[in-house]
């Protein structure tokens, strides 16, 4: 990347929990806000952002949900976050957000969305895998990073992208991958082996793909979280 | 708008850069520390030549796990990412650790939340 380079494409991960306001919301507030959030998602797609979907992440993290977006540039991301602010999304969610510039050559040019992963692997519920790591203090950082990415791009694991997140985080790198359920244990073991052998400080979070959002304590079965067949 | 886009823009990107040295920094000999600092300053100078502005540097050890923070403005995201990549190549992150925040400047910081509250009021 050079000073005059074209702006990098962006990866974005959101992890969130429900606020008390979500539990206290009236039905009209719930559905009016949900409709506005869907409008913000639609505008986001029109900007070229691609979402990997909604992943229930309580099984391995302090967060209820996780999502990942690949964005053509950072403006497409921040404009979409502003839309979500206006829609009232954040009255119902306390979020951890991180974004980074894509590491060149670290992923396919078109992210494969969960629908594709499901077809490829015959999965009912593909697993989203969010990995953050710090490696740059090591003299062998290139080799260590290569090994992390290699694990995330093995059979049964689809690397959506790897990103440099120092600009927005104390974690230097993150990657998002979608793993076949049957491959998850092997992928996690291989990541741990790389971390141990190379001394890479790493954090991993997993989540299972969910089609419907659990609002407060009920499932919004009336509509999918991403209200669009084109972007499951 | 655009420092987040492909061209320089009118709304700059603000970047709060929290940092502190790692243990290894204390064990470098003085000439090594000086050489590294010169190299890193040259890299920051390249960013400034590309439109970045260092607005100030502050001591924060009394109220933060980070000892210092620097406040920058950039006209292009690529200037910032290139600066970070160059610092990494120059072993900055071998000796320092950071935690950073960035965002675009706004003249209406409450506007989105006012709109969300108004819409909530309407749907009540």
């Amino acid at each position: 990347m050079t000073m005059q380079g074209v702006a990098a494409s962006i990866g974005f991960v959101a992890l969130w929990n429900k606020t008390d306001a979500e539990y206290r919301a009236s039905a009209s507030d719930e559905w009016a806000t949900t409709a506005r959030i869907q409008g913000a998602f639609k505008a986001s797609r029109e900007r070229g952002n691609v979402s990997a979907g909604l992943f229930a992440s309580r099984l391995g993290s302090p967060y209820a949900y996780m999502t990942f977006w690949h964005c053509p540039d950072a403006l497409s991301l921040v404009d979409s976050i502003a839309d979500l602010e206006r829609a009232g999304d954040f009255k119902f969610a306390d979020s951890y957000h991180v974004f980074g510039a894509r590491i060149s050559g670290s992923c396919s040019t078109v992210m494969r969305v969960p629908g594709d992963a499901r077809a490829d692997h015959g999965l009912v519920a593909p697993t989203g895998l969010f990995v953050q790591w710090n490696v740059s203090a090591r003299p062998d950082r290139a080799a260590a990073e290569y090994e992390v990415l290699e694990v995330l791009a093995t059979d049964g694991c689809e690397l959506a992208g790897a990103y440099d997140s120092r600009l927005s985080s104390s974690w230097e790198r993150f990657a998002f991958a979608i793993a076949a359920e049957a491959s998850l244990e092997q992928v996690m073991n291989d990541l741990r082996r790389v971390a141990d052998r190379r001394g890479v400080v790493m954090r991993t979070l997993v989540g299972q793909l969910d089609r419907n959002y659990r609002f407060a304590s009920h499932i919004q079965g009336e509509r999918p979280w991403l209200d669009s067949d084109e972007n499951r | 708008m655009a420092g987040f886009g492909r061209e320089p823009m009118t709304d700059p990107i603000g970047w709060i850069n929290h940092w502190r040295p790692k243990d290894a920094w204390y064990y470098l000999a003085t000439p090594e520390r000086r050489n590294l600092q010169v190299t890193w300053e040259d890299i920051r100078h390249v960013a400034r030549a590309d439109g970045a502005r260092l607005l100030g540097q502050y001591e924060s050890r009394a109220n933060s796990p980070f000892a210092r923070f620097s406040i920058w403005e950039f006209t292009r995201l690529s200037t910032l990412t290139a600066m970070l990549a160059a610092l990494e190549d120059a072993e900055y992150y071998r000796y320092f650790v950071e935690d950073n925040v960035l965002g675009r400047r706004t003249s209406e910081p409450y506007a989105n939340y006012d709109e969300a509250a108004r819409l909530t009021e309407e749907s009540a």
Side-chain angles (χ1 to χ4, degrees):
Chain A
M1 190 175 300
T2 66
M3 290 291 185
Q4 286 76 37
V6 171
S9 60
I10 296 294
F12 166 71
V13 170
L15 300 156
W16 71 97
N17 274 317
K18 304 159 189 306
T19 65
D20 288 346
E22 185 165 309
Y23 291 94
R24 290 199 304 268
S26 65
S28 60
D29 190 13
E30 173 187 343
W31 289 107
T33 304
T34 298
R36 290 195 296 273
I37 289 170
Q38 292 298 333
F41 285 159
K42 183 170 185 292
S44 174
R45 290 193 292 275
E46 287 167 359
R47 292 184 185 104
N49 299 332
V50 179
S51 167
L54 174 69
F55 293 85
S57 54
R58 284 206 194 284
L59 71 167
S61 85
Y63 299 99
Y65 285 116
M66 162 171 82
T67 191
F68 166 80
W69 294 359
H70 185 77
C71 311
D73 53 52
L75 188 62
S76 302
L77 170 62
V78 297
D79 281 345
S80 299
I81 296 293
D83 284 347
L84 288 168
E85 285 185 340
R86 284 187 288 272
D89 190 23
F90 299 106
K91 70 186 170 191
F92 294 147
D94 279 334
S95 310
Y96 167 77
H97 290 172
V98 61
F99 77 82
R102 199 179 89 180
I103 298 168
S104 179
S106 70
C107 62
S108 56
T109 50
V110 179
M111 194 182 79
R112 297 161 71 85
V113 298
D116 298 324
R118 184 164 23 211
D120 286 354
H121 304 297
L123 299 173
V124 176
T127 303
L129 184 57
F130 173 46
V131 186
Q132 294 174 289
W133 68 93
N134 289 332
V135 73
S136 68
R138 302 190 54 78
D140 61 347
R141 64 181 189 264
E145 186 149 75
Y146 179 81
E147 287 186 25
V148 172
L149 297 177
E150 200 174 39
V151 170
L152 294 173
T154 51
D155 284 348
C157 190
E158 192 84 44
L159 177 63
Y163 303 87
D164 181 341
S165 56
R166 280 172 305 203
L167 69 176
S168 71
S169 166
S170 59
W171 291 98
E172 294 163 357
R173 300 279 194 271
F174 75 84
F176 194 87
I178 295 168
E181 207 172 356
S183 309
L184 184 63
E185 187 177 348
Q186 185 64 49
V187 170
M188 296 295 277
N189 281 340
D190 289 347
L191 283 176
R192 194 177 60 223
R193 228 185 326 270
V194 172
D196 290 346
R197 189 174 62 243
R198 294 286 188 179
V200 177
V201 179
M202 189 183 291
R203 176 170 87 146
T204 56
L205 271 73
V206 297
Q208 283 191 304
L209 185 68
D210 237 345
R211 187 140 169 77
N212 297 99
Y213 191 70
R214 182 182 289 277
F215 187 93
S217 51
H218 64 272
I219 293 173
Q220 289 182 327
E222 295 85 345
R223 64 195 305 175
W225 183 64
L226 287 175
D227 193 11
S228 165
D229 285 340
E230 70 193 79
N231 195 8
R232 282 169 294 158
Chain B
M1 300 252 262
F4 283 127
R6 291 171 176 76
E7 301 299 330
M9 54 6 158
T10 51
D11 292 339
I13 299 163
W15 190 57
I16 302 178
N17 165 223
H18 297 270
W19 55 273
R20 62 177 158 77
K22 296 180 179 178
D23 293 349
W25 181 248
Y26 298 99
Y27 297 95
L28 286 180
T30 298
E32 287 178 289
R33 281 186 281 109
R34 292 288 168 267
N35 287 341
L36 285 168
Q37 284 172 321
V38 168
T39 302
W40 300 337
E41 197 46 46
D42 286 347
I43 290 167
R44 295 183 182 108
H45 180 75
V46 171
R48 286 199 287 271
D50 198 42
R53 293 171 62 213
L54 176 59
L55 302 180
Q57 303 196 79
Y58 307 86
E59 297 173 349
S60 54
R61 200 65 189 86
N63 69 105
S64 164
F66 287 87
R68 300 283 184 275
F69 64 94
S70 308
I71 301 181
W72 289 76
E73 278 193 346
F74 291 82
T75 54
R76 275 188 288 235
L77 185 64
S78 58
T79 307
L80 171 56
T81 54
M83 183 177 86
L84 298 182
L87 285 169
E88 175 167 345
D89 289 344
E91 292 199 303
Y92 176 76
Y93 295 100
R94 184 172 180 178
Y95 298 108
F96 285 82
V97 61
E98 297 183 337
D99 194 2
N100 302 320
V101 181
L102 83 165
R104 65 175 162 185
R105 188 194 283 175
T106 176
S107 57
E108 297 182 307
Y110 299 110
N112 288 349
Y113 300 108
D114 282 345
E115 176 71 355
R118 188 185 64 75
L119 292 168
T120 300
E121 209 170 27
E122 274 181 14
S123 62

